[in-house]
């Protein structure tokens, strides 16, 4: 009898280890890396290794692989307004640089989808999707924990910009990190005055 209980216990422990071994964080990260590579290949994205110049005209499928971050890819759809003409007096035009600064209140609308084929889109693009846009202070990760968004805003530089950004799980929200799920975002931003 003791031998049977001991054998059952050993089989149970072995099954637990086998079942848990297939979902280690390392295994999930490997699956994520493969998913990202497949997404890039399937969509025939052109990966730029160097950050494009400010006057670069982005091709539809050009994505900059952001240096210093694993699998963070950025595509600028439209650069917002870099200057605002404030006053015109005595043949002089005063301009104000509108570059986004740390602490500015970002007002964001976005679309989010997984990297799998035919993935559903979660949309917060219009007031029909969500009455109020997401608001957070730029570079305040306690208000917006998606580090990939803050890095995208750094590259967007100006209000009224729009981009696509592929955010790996470790630069995503805390939920994305725990589920090891990367997302593609289409992001448009304004700065609250």
């Amino acid at each position: 009898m003791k031998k049977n209980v001991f054998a059952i216990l050993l089989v149970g422990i072995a099954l637990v280890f086998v079942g848990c071994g297939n979902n280690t964080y390392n295994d999930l990260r490997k699956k994520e890396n493969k998913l990202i590579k497949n997404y890039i290949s399937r969509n025939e994205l052109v990966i730029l290794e160097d950050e494009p110049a400010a006057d670069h005209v982005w091709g539809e499928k050009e994505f900059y692989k952001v240096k210093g971050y694993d699998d963070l890819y950025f595509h600028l759809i439209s650069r917002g307004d870099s200057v605002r003409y404030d006053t015109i007096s005595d043949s002089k035009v005063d301009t104000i640089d509108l570059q986004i600064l740390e602490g500015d209140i970002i007002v964001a609308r976005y679309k989010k989808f997984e990297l799998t084929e035919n993935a559903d889109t979660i949309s917060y693009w219009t007031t029909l999707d969500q009455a109020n846009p997401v608001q957070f202070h730029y570079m305040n990760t306690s208000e917006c924990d998606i580090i990939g968004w803050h890095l995208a805003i750094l590259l967007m530089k100006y209000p009224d910009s729009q981009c696509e950004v592929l955010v790996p799980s470790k630069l995503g929200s805390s939920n994305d990190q725990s589920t090891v799920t990367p997302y593609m975002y289409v992001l448009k931003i304004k700065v609250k005055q």
Side-chain angles (χ1 to χ4, degrees), residues 150-174:
H150 293 279
L151 295 169
I153 292 167
L154 178 67
L155 293 167
M156 293 163 83
K157 295 182 185 175
Y158 302 108
D160 299 317
S161 293
Q162 186 174 331
C163 77
E164 290 177 284
V165 61
L166 192 160
V167 179
S169 63
K170 61 184 169 180
L171 297 176
S173 69
S174 54

Side-chain angles (χ1 to χ4, degrees), residues 25 28-29 32 114 169 173-183:
Y25 180 74
L28 293 173
R29 286 283 295 132
E32 177 184 27
E114 290 186 23
S169 63
S173 69
S174 54
N175 185 56
D176 301 343
Q177 292 173 28
S178 64
T179 61
V180 192
T181 307
Y183 286 99

Side-chain angles (χ1 to χ4, degrees), residues 81-153:
D81 295 326
S82 60
V83 294
R84 180 177 71 222
Y85 299 102
D86 193 26
T87 60
I88 301 174
S89 60
D90 299 331
S91 302
K92 180 180 158 191
V93 177
D94 293 327
T95 60
I96 299 171
D97 182 11
L98 295 178
Q99 188 161 345
I100 297 171
L101 302 173
E102 185 173 338
D104 282 348
I105 299 173
I106 302 297
V107 179
R109 291 280 183 186
Y110 67 95
K111 296 177 189 175
K112 169 183 175 179
F113 54 92
E114 290 186 23
L115 304 185
T116 57
E117 289 188 69
N118 304 315
D120 290 333
T121 300
I122 298 170
S123 182
Y124 296 96
W125 201 249
T126 68
T127 54
L128 294 174
D129 300 325
Q130 177 73 23
N132 298 310
V134 175
Q135 291 189 33
F136 58 93
H137 288 87
Y138 175 52
M139 299 305 280
N140 183 337
T141 57
S142 66
E143 293 179 358
C144 173
D145 65 346
I146 305 172
I147 302 296
W149 280 21
H150 293 279
L151 295 169
I153 292 167

Side-chain angles (χ1 to χ4, degrees), residues 46-104:
V46 176
I47 304 304
L48 307 174
E49 296 294 329
D50 295 315
E51 183 177 351
D55 61 350
H56 177 75
V57 178
W58 290 75
E60 183 180 333
K61 294 183 179 251
E62 284 184 333
F63 277 76
Y64 166 52
K65 184 175 183 187
V66 182
K67 287 186 179 175
Y69 300 94
D70 293 340
D71 295 324
L72 178 68
Y73 295 89
F74 173 84
H75 169 80
L76 186 65
I77 296 171
S78 66
R79 171 100 48 213
D81 295 326
S82 60
V83 294
R84 180 177 71 222
Y85 299 102
D86 193 26
T87 60
I88 301 174
S89 60
D90 299 331
S91 302
K92 180 180 158 191
V93 177
D94 293 327
T95 60
I96 299 171
D97 182 11
L98 295 178
Q99 188 161 345
I100 297 171
L101 302 173
E102 185 173 338
D104 282 348

